[in-house]
Amino acid sequence: VNESALIATMQNKEFVEQEDLEEARDKTRWGRAKKSRAVDERDRRVTAYHEAGHALIQATDKDADPLHKVSIIPRGPAGGATFSLPERDRMVYTKRYLLATMRVMFGGRIAEEIFFDDISSGAASDIRQATDLARRMVREWGMGENAGFLYYGDDDARGGFFFDVTQREYSDKTAEM
């Protein structure tokens, strides 16, 4: 709210408007907008299709959070972003929701492949997030199809006098799976 007040003040406004609140949220979460940054036209198109891929999945997947907005204005390290607007705060995550979230993450890369017959480094953050989410689903939350209802994560709490914290509690074959 303070950031939105500063944004409104810089534009000589008498009060804070919704667009000021949204810009403040985007700035604090993803970084300052780099509107003056010169972006190559091909890069702009790749980013637009990439974000459209995210948006299409976000808007059509019944298990995903609702689509809020899409931007190809560079912020921080990102060339663009697709924003969801969760309908509620979540304390737990269902498998359906997590899989939908991963489908949204993959939508950008898939759009690049379809429309450009090539892929870019623009999906790096998506790949990192999807990989982390998939690992947590299997290793920590027991959502793996073949891994079973077991915890395979790193457990810092089990360290102590009788435990070797450098050794995992499952076989190489299980680790490979």
Side-chain angles (χ1 to χ4, degrees):
V1 173
N2 288 338
E3 186 65 37
S4 62
L6 290 171
I7 291 168
T9 300
M10 295 297 287
Q11 295 178 7
N12 296 320
K13 293 181 180 178
E14 295 291 319
F15 52 89
V16 175
E17 298 175 329
Q18 184 66 34
E19 67 186 37
D20 303 317
L21 289 165
E22 289 202 18
E23 176 59 27
R25 181 210 49 216
D26 296 351
K27 180 181 175 185
T28 55
R29 187 162 184 199
W30 291 284
R32 184 180 200 148
K34 299 175 183 171
K35 294 179 183 177
S36 63
R37 182 177 176 189
V39 178
D40 176 75
E41 183 58 31
R42 176 154 171 80
D43 289 351
R44 185 185 315 274
R45 288 190 63 222
V46 169
T47 299
Y49 278 92
H50 181 101
E51 297 307 326
H54 289 309
L56 179 65
I57 304 300
Q58 189 93 48
T60 59
D61 194 316
K62 67 179 178 52
D63 294 317
D65 284 326
L67 177 65
H68 177 60
K69 76 176 188 178
V70 180
S71 172
I72 61 167
I73 297 172
R75 287 184 179 275
T82 301
F83 305 90
S84 63
L85 192 60
E87 295 175 319
R88 61 185 174 82
D89 289 335
R90 285 187 171 76
M91 303 238 352
V92 296
Y93 300 99
T94 65
K95 185 174 181 180
R96 271 190 232 150
Y97 173 77
L98 295 169
L99 291 173
T101 300
M102 290 196 327
R103 286 190 293 272
V104 171
M105 290 173 184
F106 298 148
R109 170 57 67 86
I110 293 168
E112 288 181 30
E113 287 185 78
I114 291 171
F115 291 99
F116 294 97
D117 194 29
D118 200 3
I119 56 175
S120 76
S121 61
S125 177
D126 301 325
I127 294 167
R128 186 179 303 112
Q129 290 174 359
T131 301
D132 180 58
L133 189 54
R135 278 191 180 123
R136 294 183 78 188
M137 288 174 70
V138 173
R139 294 179 70 200
E140 297 177 27
W141 301 330
M143 295 180 181
E145 297 295 323
N146 300 320
F149 188 58
L150 295 170
Y151 179 80
Y152 296 103
D154 298 324
D155 192 355
D156 295 333
R158 70 174 186 190
F161 189 73
F162 294 107
F163 295 101
D164 179 3
V165 295
T166 62
Q167 188 176 8
R168 63 177 185 251
E169 295 183 345
Y170 47 91
S171 70
D172 289 341
K173 184 177 179 181
T174 300
E176 186 177 315
M177 177 186 59

